[in-house]
Amino acid sequence: MLSREIVLEVKRLLDEDKHSQRQIASLLKVSRGSVNAIANNRRGLHGREPERQLQLFATRPSRCCKCGGYVYAPCLLCRAREYREREARLQKLARRVA
């Protein structure tokens, strides 16, 4: 999976309309199919999380300091709760702005 930065860079280069899809693929070292999928909106602008988050299970399981569960840090349940709270705050802010 491509990183988010690469996906956004492909989209930016496509929007500039100075390079062909083949040139963009060559410049960024990605497949032409990926560039084509981004160009035709068959692939969203989501991407892989940064490398530091891909190595979550490099340590031994331990007790979560927030919920007390025996987990690989960071606790997935706590991360999900934080995500939900963050999304709720963003929705609340969006409603205030609108």
Side-chain angles (χ1 to χ4, degrees):
M1 181 182 277
L2 300 176
S3 69
R4 182 172 176 82
E5 290 80 23
I6 295 291
V7 173
L8 292 173
E9 183 66 12
V10 168
K11 186 67 174 165
R12 186 185 68 78
L13 290 171
L14 286 168
D15 290 342
E16 282 181 1
D17 205 28
K18 292 181 182 177
H19 303 286
S20 68
Q21 290 182 11
R22 183 183 298 256
Q23 290 170 331
I24 293 171
S26 177
L27 283 170
L28 299 177
K29 308 282 192 276
V30 297
S31 71
R32 288 183 300 162
S34 294
V35 174
N36 187 272
I38 294 168
N40 293 316
N41 295 320
R42 285 182 283 139
R43 186 184 194 291
L45 295 180
H46 57 278
R48 179 178 61 204
E49 292 295 321
E51 293 298 323
R52 63 180 177 78
Q53 291 187 0
L54 294 177
Q55 300 175 356
L56 292 177
F57 303 115
T59 60
R60 294 183 175 173
S62 60
R63 292 283 175 196
C64 175
C65 60
K66 294 180 182 178
C67 69
Y70 195 62
V71 297
Y72 290 98
C75 178
L76 184 59
L77 178 60
C78 291
R79 285 179 35 205
R81 287 176 179 159
E82 289 168 3
Y83 174 80
R84 227 180 319 162
E85 290 169 3
R86 188 171 53 245
E87 288 297 311
R89 284 194 307 265
L90 288 173
Q91 287 177 0
K92 191 181 211 181
L93 180 64
R95 274 185 259 142
R96 239 188 270 161
V97 171

